[in-house]
């Protein structure tokens, strides 16, 4: 009996242990199943992917994306968003919406979204893309060169890359100017312009208004009938429709004049005029479209169709752009020449029609013209020449920082420096993308191994002078800029103070950067002018010259050398900073390759 009882108790304990083990196994299975369900339904331990997402809205600098959670029955999701080409490439959020900011306009961006839960693997990525809108062109449309049936429209450049412009009167154009032809005479024409780019919604319009001129009457068809106390006139109608006519009669050699009210009729009569006295009507000006031009280094010649008024003379005025220098030439015939002009300069031209006997001059503005540059040669055949100067875009497998770029220009030609620009016509020549064919973008990407990734750029001599209120100047002589500069995104903040030209595929644009970056660079130098009778002697003298001459940055610097036969010339200026670091910084503001002159270097120097 005792052994049977013991055997029964042993079996009971064994069965009890089996039940406990089975319960523990069931509990482990339930925990594993619960953990897999809390992550996702597709793969154990991994969150299910987002399957519904879309771009909700966009501006010219932001894109907002919305999405639905993978499973509405599960809470606690967080999300990792990636955008490889955004300023910040990865973001985390717990919301089902996110706005990517500080984006470039007119650009397509790709995004990915991954969902996550605590203690679970991130879901596979959901991919989508969106575009930013084009920026509106700043300012308004400006009108110039107005005639009876045409005018020129100009506007500021869009900051976006790869855009064209839709112009209401000229269609789609690649540049920031267009000539509108075939317009009605004597009309108010509203001009609208907006940037466009294939695959992107167009930007808002900007507006401008052009007032086309009236066609004058033909003076040769005016008939006069004169009596003792009256003058009667008839004339042929103007080509411009819907005009009125006003006639003014003034007694010669006096200030007394009479004007009749505007009228639609093609005749008019002045009564009660002084018997036996001479009267005149207003002179006719010249037609600016008839002007023809020629020029050399020091003169500009113009011919034009004569005025419809008989017995007149003419005066041609040439005013140098950016100065008060004026040259005039009088002529009894419809042609004249301004002489003694400066080589390679731009001049404003005007022709005045004159007649003795108290007539008011009638002045007509003509197109600006350039004198030819000095004849001469550049340092080598790969320089381009324009109006007395030579230009070179220096490329290669290695870029240069700003200081090295200045030195390289002066190594190629002692009178050279990084590009400076003195007139708008020169700026237009440099920036003419198709005509110059600089190939900055293509060669930069194909050749340069150590240039910065922000590239497709070349150093110029433009810089911001923080010591002078942030004004932009040219490094060559610290002169201020007097030309229009088209920025890529506007000048960057200090210390990004030095100017680059960037190839934006269809045009060149300006931007600023730090001087340590390596890029290509533009050099400029005056042409080398030699008189035929002295060229041989000059060449012999140059072969014996042992001194390397350098150009000082401005008149504030003075040259110093190490005496006769020395191989180095330097420039110095005095500054009064408070400390050594401030002194070095001030030196480099004056010129990027300047530095403090050590006291031991003063030995043997003479002015």
């Amino acid at each position: 009996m005792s052994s049977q009882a013991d055997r029964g108790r042993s079996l009971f304990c064994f069965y009890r242990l089996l039940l406990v083990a089975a319960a523990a196994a069931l509990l482990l299975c339930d925990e594993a199943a619960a953990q897999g369900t809390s992550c996702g339904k597709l793969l154990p331990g991994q969150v299910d992917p987002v399957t519904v997402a879309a771009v909700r809205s966009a501006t010219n600098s932001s894109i907002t994306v919305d999405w639905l959670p993978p499973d509405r029955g599960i809470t606690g999701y967080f999300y990792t968003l990636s955008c490889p080409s955004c300023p910040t490439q990865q973001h985390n959020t717990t919301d089902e919406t996110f706005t990517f900011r500080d984006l470039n306009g007119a650009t397509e961006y790709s995004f990915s979204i991954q969902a996550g839960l605590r203690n679970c693997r991130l879901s596979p990525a959901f991919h989508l893309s969106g575009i930013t809108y084009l920026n509106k062109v700043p300012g308004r449309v400006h009108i110039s060169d107005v005639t009876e049936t045409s005018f020129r429209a100009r506007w500021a450049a869009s900051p976006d890359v790869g855009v064209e412009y839709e112009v209401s009167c000229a269609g789609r154009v690649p540049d920031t100017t267009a000539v509108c032809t075939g317009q009605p005479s004597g009309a108010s024409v509203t001009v609208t312009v907006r940037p466009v780019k294939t695959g992107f919604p167009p930007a808002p319009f900007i507006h401008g208004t052009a007032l086309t001129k009236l066609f004058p009457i033909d003076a040769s068809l005016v008939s006069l009938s004169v009596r003792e106390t009256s003058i009667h006139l008839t004339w042929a109608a103007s080509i411009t429709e819907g005009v009125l006519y006003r006639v003014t009669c003034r007694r010669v050699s006096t200030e007394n004049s009479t004007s009749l009210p505007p009228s639609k009729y093609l005749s008019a009569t002045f009564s009660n005029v002084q018997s036996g006295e001479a009267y005149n009507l207003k002179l006719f000006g010249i037609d600016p479209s008839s002007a023809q031009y020629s020029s050399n280094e020091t003169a500009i010649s113009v011919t034009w169709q004569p005025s419809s008024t008989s017995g007149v003379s003419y005066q041609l005025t040439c005013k140098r752009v950016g100065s008060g220098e004026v040259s005039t030439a009088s002529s009894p015939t419809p042609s004249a020449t301004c002489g003694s002009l400066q080589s390679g300069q731009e001049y404003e031209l005007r022709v005045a029609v004159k007649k003795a006997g108290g007539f008011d001059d009638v002045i007509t503005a003509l197109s600006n013209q350039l004198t030819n540059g000095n004849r001469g040669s550049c340092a080598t055949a790969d320089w381009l020449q324009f109006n007395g100067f030579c230009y070179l875009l220096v490329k290669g497998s290695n870029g240069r920082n700003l200081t090295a770029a200045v030195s390289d220009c002066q190594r190629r030609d002692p009178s050279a420096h990084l590009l400076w620009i003195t007139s708008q016509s020169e700026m237009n020549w440099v920036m003419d993308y198709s005509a110059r064919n600089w190939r900055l973008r293509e060669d930069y990407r194909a050749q340069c191994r150590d240039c910065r990734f922000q590239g497709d750029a070349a150093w110029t001599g433009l810089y911001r002078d923080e010591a002078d209120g942030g004004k932009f100047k040219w490094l060559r002589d610290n002169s201020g800029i007097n030309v229009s500069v088209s920025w890529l995104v506007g000048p960057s903040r200090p210390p990004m103070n030095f100017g680059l030209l960037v190839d934006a595929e269809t045009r060149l644009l300006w931007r600023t950067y730090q001087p340590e970056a390596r890029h290509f660079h533009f050099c400029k130098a005056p042409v080398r002018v030699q008189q035929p009778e002295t060229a041989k002697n000059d060449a012999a003298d140059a072969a014996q010259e042992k001194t390397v001459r350098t150009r000082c940055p401005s008149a504030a610097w003075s040259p110093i050398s190490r005496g006769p036969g020395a191989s180095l010339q330097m420039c110095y200026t005095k500054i009064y900073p408070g400390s050594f670091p401030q002194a070095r910084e001030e030196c480099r503001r004056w010129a990027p390759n300047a530095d403090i002159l050590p006291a031991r270097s003063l030995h043997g120097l003479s002015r």
Side-chain angles (χ1 to χ4, degrees), residues 419-458:
L419 175 68
W420 73 96
I421 294 176
T422 58
S423 70
Q424 195 60 46
S425 59
E426 182 184 14
M427 174 71 83
N428 295 340
W429 182 88
V430 171
M431 305 292 278
D432 193 330
Y433 190 89
S434 57
R436 300 292 81 76
N437 193 25
W438 296 117
R439 289 185 55 85
L440 175 54
R441 182 185 184 90
E442 299 95 320
D443 294 343
Y444 190 101
R445 298 187 176 191
Q447 298 177 11
C448 197
R449 297 193 301 266
D450 61 351
C451 294
R452 293 188 60 86
F453 67 90
Q454 292 97 334
D456 306 337

Side-chain angles (χ1 to χ4, degrees), residues 200-410:
F200 294 82
F205 284 110
I206 59 172
H207 301 79
T209 301
L211 299 175
T212 53
K213 294 182 178 179
L214 305 179
F215 278 105
I217 64 172
D218 187 343
S220 65
L221 299 178
V222 176
S223 297
L224 295 173
S225 176
V226 181
R227 295 180 178 273
E228 288 79 1
T229 58
S230 67
I231 299 175
H232 181 74
L233 302 92
T234 60
W235 57 87
S238 166
I239 299 175
T240 306
E241 297 181 354
V243 299
L244 301 177
Y245 304 91
R246 181 169 62 190
V247 184
T248 299
C249 180
R250 187 176 64 188
R251 185 177 172 184
V252 174
S253 302
T254 74
E255 297 300 323
N256 298 327
S257 63
T258 302
S259 294
L260 299 179
S263 169
K264 64 181 180 180
Y265 300 109
L266 303 180
S267 64
T269 300
F270 289 96
S271 302
N272 301 318
V273 296
Q274 183 89 24
S275 175
E277 296 291 339
Y279 288 83
N280 61 62
L281 303 176
K282 186 178 179 181
L283 303 179
F284 283 93
I286 69 166
D287 180 1
S289 64
S290 70
Q292 297 183 354
Y293 309 92
S294 62
S295 64
N296 58 29
E297 289 81 2
T298 60
I300 296 175
S301 298
V302 189
T303 60
W304 56 87
Q305 290 295 322
S307 167
S308 297
T309 305
S310 61
V312 299
S313 62
Y314 306 92
Q315 184 181 70
L316 173 64
T317 300
C318 304
K319 179 181 179 182
R320 186 159 68 92
V321 173
S323 79
E325 178 186 323
V326 176
S327 175
T328 60
S330 298
S331 172
T333 62
S335 65
T337 298
C338 288
S340 301
L341 305 182
Q342 292 194 27
S343 171
Q345 298 296 311
E346 182 178 8
Y347 286 84
E348 297 175 354
L349 306 186
R350 285 177 170 77
V351 172
V353 178
K354 296 174 168 289
K355 187 174 182 179
F359 289 91
D360 291 334
D361 294 349
V362 178
I363 299 175
T364 302
L366 305 181
S367 300
N368 289 12
Q369 297 295 311
L370 291 167
T371 51
N372 295 343
N374 294 326
R375 291 175 182 165
S377 62
C378 297
T380 56
D382 51 349
W383 293 66
L384 299 182
Q385 191 174 147
F386 175 72
N387 279 344
F389 289 93
C390 303
Y391 302 80
L392 178 67
L393 173 56
V394 180
K395 306 176 185 179
S397 59
N398 297 102
R400 291 178 173 86
N401 61 32
L402 187 74
T403 301
V406 173
S407 299
D408 180 75
C409 287
Q410 295 178 343

Side-chain angles (χ1 to χ4, degrees), residues 21-37:
L26 288 172
L27 180 60
L28 290 174
C29 290
D30 289 343
E31 287 181 354
Q35 183 180 11
T37 302

